[in-house]
């Protein structure tokens, strides 16, 4: 930790800072919507912002990958004309938790891979991320320690950490540095501030415990042994196949592509919308064959997408421990409980080998 990479903002000036951001940019931040629900939305005043919040209903990925996105417009009035389209705007995301930053890092990895997702990458360049570190668990659904997303590492421009009556702010990019200069509200950090930050991180190691009874490095082996586990059949009896779990997931990026022609039948657009591997039509192919017709197969696919497949391709777990899937599931399928059941069933198989 180099002290010159940190600045100090008195807590009493946080609203001045947010209002300053609003004065020169569109800003989206967590806002309370009632009944323990929060959303990221555009704000017009710092008074709207909730600094203490559980993960929002939909993660901030919606600004990078909108739920519906026009890809191109076409016109056949004379000759066929096709115009690729990317909608974007400058935006500052304020108050993003480390779990959601981890989700954006996963999307960055996948959508920068070939074939690159041009629309996503253009929007990413125009979005500034200001993180807000969690000093304690948001609620009982979180498993951010298990996946290593409870401590800020990379993926942000500025990171705010609350320490008593001030915030210590890590500057992680030139965009972040520009904001510090433009708002003129920050003081240089001193060595004792860095010591207090280190003390907080030490304290967090005791607060945030491994929420699942295994270690992350054992996940590939666990899932290699669990493809035919009875857990998937048990989930089939409970899953409603509503797709809520994937709609709220910060790392799900599947979509469908559709085309619509206007009433003149001479022009129209091609667009994509979020889709879900938990919905029945997702795995249907030509001929009407559905290679994941059973809900057990779809649930298994969801867990393997989070904890196995992407480890091979990208070396990353694609779960951020935010807990949204468990929090929103109408059938009360809890991600931590499913992993624990898999571990117990897997241990039984190992012991049987030695009997």
């Amino acid at each position: 930790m180099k002290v010159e990479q940190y600045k100090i903002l008195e807590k009493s000036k946080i609203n001045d800072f947010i209002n300053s951001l609003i004065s020169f940019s569109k800003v989206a931040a967590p806002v309370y919507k009632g009944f323990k629900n929060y959303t990221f939305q555009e704000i017009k005043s710092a008074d709207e912002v909730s600094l203490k919040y559980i993960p929002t209903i939909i993660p901030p990925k919606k600004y990078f990958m909108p739920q519906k996105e026009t890809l191109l417009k076409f016109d056949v009035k004379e000759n066929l004309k096709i115009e690729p389209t990317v909608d974007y705007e400058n935006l500052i995301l304020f108050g993003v938790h480390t779990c959601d930053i981890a989700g954006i890092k996963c999307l960055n990895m996948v959508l920068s891979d070939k074939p690159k997702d041009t629309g996503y990458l253009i929007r990413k360049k125009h979005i500034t991320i200001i993180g807000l570190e969690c000093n304690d668990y948001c609620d009982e659904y979180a498993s951010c320690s298990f996946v290593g997303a409870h401590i800020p590492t990379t993926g942000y421009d500025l990171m705010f950490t609350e320490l008593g009556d001030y915030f210590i702010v890590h500057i992680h990019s030139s965009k972040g540095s520009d904001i510090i200069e433009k708002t003129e509200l920050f003081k240089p950090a001193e060595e004792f501030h860095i010591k207090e930050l280190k003390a907080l991180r030490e304290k967090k190691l005791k607060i945030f415990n491994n929420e699942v009874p295994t270690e992350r490095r054992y996940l590939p082996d666990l899932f290699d042994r669990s493809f035919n586990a009875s857990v998937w059949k048990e989930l089939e009896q409970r899953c409603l196949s509503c797709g809520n779990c994937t709609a709220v997931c910060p790392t799900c990026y599947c979509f469908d592509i559709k085309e619509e022609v206007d009433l003149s039948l001479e022009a129209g657009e091609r667009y994509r919308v979020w889709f879900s591997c938990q919905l029945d039509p997702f795995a249907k192919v030509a001929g009407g064959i559905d290679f994941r017709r059973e809900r057990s197969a779809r649930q298994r696919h969801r867990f393997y997408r989070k904890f196995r497949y992407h480890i091979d391709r990208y070396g990353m777990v694609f779960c951020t421990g935010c807990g949204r899937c468990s929090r929103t599931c109408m059938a009360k399928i809890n991600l931590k409980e499913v992993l624990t059941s898999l571990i117990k069933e897997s241990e039984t198989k190992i012991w049987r080998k030695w009997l």
Side-chain angles (χ1 to χ4, degrees):
M1 292 182 178
K2 296 179 179 178
V3 68
E4 58 268 24
Q5 294 177 337
Y6 290 84
K7 295 288 183 182
I8 300 299
L9 179 71
E10 294 173 15
K11 201 185 287 184
S12 60
K13 293 183 178 177
I14 187 66
N15 280 4
D16 294 336
F17 172 69
I18 296 171
N19 286 328
S20 177
L21 295 178
I22 295 170
S23 71
F24 62 80
S25 175
K26 180 177 178 178
V27 179
V31 174
Y32 184 59
K33 306 300 286 185
F35 302 101
K36 295 185 180 179
N37 289 312
Y38 298 82
T39 64
F40 266 96
Q41 66 180 55
E42 183 180 359
I43 54 165
K44 298 297 183 183
S45 165
D47 295 334
E48 301 173 54
V49 179
S50 294
L51 292 177
K52 299 285 186 185
Y53 72 99
I54 64 171
T56 51
I57 302 168
I58 301 292
K61 77 171 181 183
K62 64 183 180 181
Y63 296 107
F64 296 81
M65 187 178 177
Q67 189 270 334
K68 180 182 178 185
E69 177 185 1
T70 300
L71 300 176
L72 61 86
K73 295 179 179 178
F74 56 86
D75 188 325
V76 294
K77 287 174 185 170
E78 295 180 2
N79 298 314
L80 175 61
K81 295 179 182 176
I82 298 174
E83 182 183 1
T85 302
V86 178
D87 290 329
Y88 64 90
E89 60 183 342
N90 290 324
L91 174 70
I92 295 175
L93 281 175
F94 174 80
V96 186
H97 284 166
T98 49
C99 57
D100 282 336
I101 292 172
I104 294 167
K105 287 165 62 179
C106 289
L107 296 180
N108 289 345
M109 182 66 74
V110 170
L111 300 175
S112 299
D113 199 359
K114 294 180 180 178
K116 295 186 177 184
D117 191 308
T118 305
Y120 177 91
L121 295 174
I122 290 175
R123 273 187 293 277
K124 176 174 169 285
K125 282 185 180 177
H126 290 266
I127 297 176
T128 301
I129 299 174
I130 300 180
L132 181 62
E133 184 174 358
C134 299
N135 293 348
D136 203 347
Y137 278 113
C138 53
D139 65 15
E140 70 275 18
Y141 296 106
S143 55
C144 46
S145 176
F146 173 61
V147 296
H150 62 305
I151 299 287
T153 52
T154 58
Y156 53 84
D157 298 290
L158 294 174
M159 176 56 68
F160 279 56
T161 303
E162 183 179 345
L163 287 172
D165 58 356
Y166 68 91
F167 290 96
I168 186 165
V169 181
H170 182 220
I171 305 168
H172 198 245
S173 73
S174 58
K175 283 198 291 187
S177 181
D178 291 344
I179 287 175
I180 294 288
E181 289 183 17
K182 194 177 288 187
T183 52
E184 299 181 334
L185 291 166
F186 294 81
K187 297 187 298 187
E190 300 180 32
E191 286 297 338
F192 77 92
H193 294 121
I194 301 299
K195 287 182 180 176
E196 291 191 355
L197 179 59
K198 288 180 177 176
L200 171 74
R201 298 277 167 79
E202 289 292 324
K203 184 180 175 185
K204 283 182 67 172
L205 292 177
K206 297 176 182 175
I207 294 173
F208 288 82
N209 298 304
N210 195 0
E211 303 89 354
V212 178
T214 189
E215 294 179 28
R216 201 162 63 246
R217 57 185 169 142
Y218 297 132
L219 280 172
D221 189 42
L222 170 66
F223 276 81
D224 286 347
R225 293 197 303 267
S226 300
F227 195 79
N228 295 314
S230 62
V231 172
W232 312 123
K233 284 294 180 186
E234 293 167 12
L235 290 182
E236 183 171 79
Q237 302 303 314
R238 297 167 59 190
C239 177
L240 302 175
S241 196
C242 64
N244 274 358
C245 52
T246 51
V248 301
C249 178
T251 69
C252 280
Y253 53 88
C254 290
F255 56 83
D256 195 8
I257 291 184
K258 300 184 178 184
E259 291 182 349
E260 285 186 1
V261 181
D262 66 19
L263 291 177
S264 73
L265 302 182
E266 294 181 331
E269 66 173 11
R270 177 180 294 170
Y271 62 92
R272 68 178 177 186
V273 291
W274 291 357
F275 204 12
S276 169
C277 61
Q278 297 307 295
L279 302 180
D280 185 37
F282 184 86
K284 274 188 178 173
V285 295
I289 297 171
D290 187 344
F291 51 89
R292 280 197 294 273
R293 187 170 58 182
E294 298 83 12
R295 281 171 291 177
S296 58
R298 298 202 287 271
Q299 276 288 328
R300 179 175 61 196
H301 179 72
R302 179 169 79 91
F303 277 84
Y304 273 73
R305 291 278 290 184
K306 302 303 165 194
F307 298 107
R308 187 64 187 97
Y309 298 148
H310 287 81
I311 292 178
D312 275 349
R313 185 168 178 86
Y314 300 111
M316 296 170 69
V317 173
F318 265 52
C319 172
T320 71
C322 68
R324 283 186 177 90
C325 56
S326 305
R327 206 175 286 114
T328 198
C329 180
M330 293 189 290
K332 300 191 182 304
I333 293 173
N334 185 302
L335 181 138
K336 289 190 288 185
E337 291 175 0
V338 173
L339 289 176
T340 303
S341 297
L342 284 176
I343 293 163
K344 287 181 180 176
E345 187 170 342
S346 173
E347 287 172 346
T348 304
K349 289 177 183 174
I350 291 173
W351 278 110
R352 280 177 184 165
K353 285 183 180 178
W354 298 95
L355 293 176

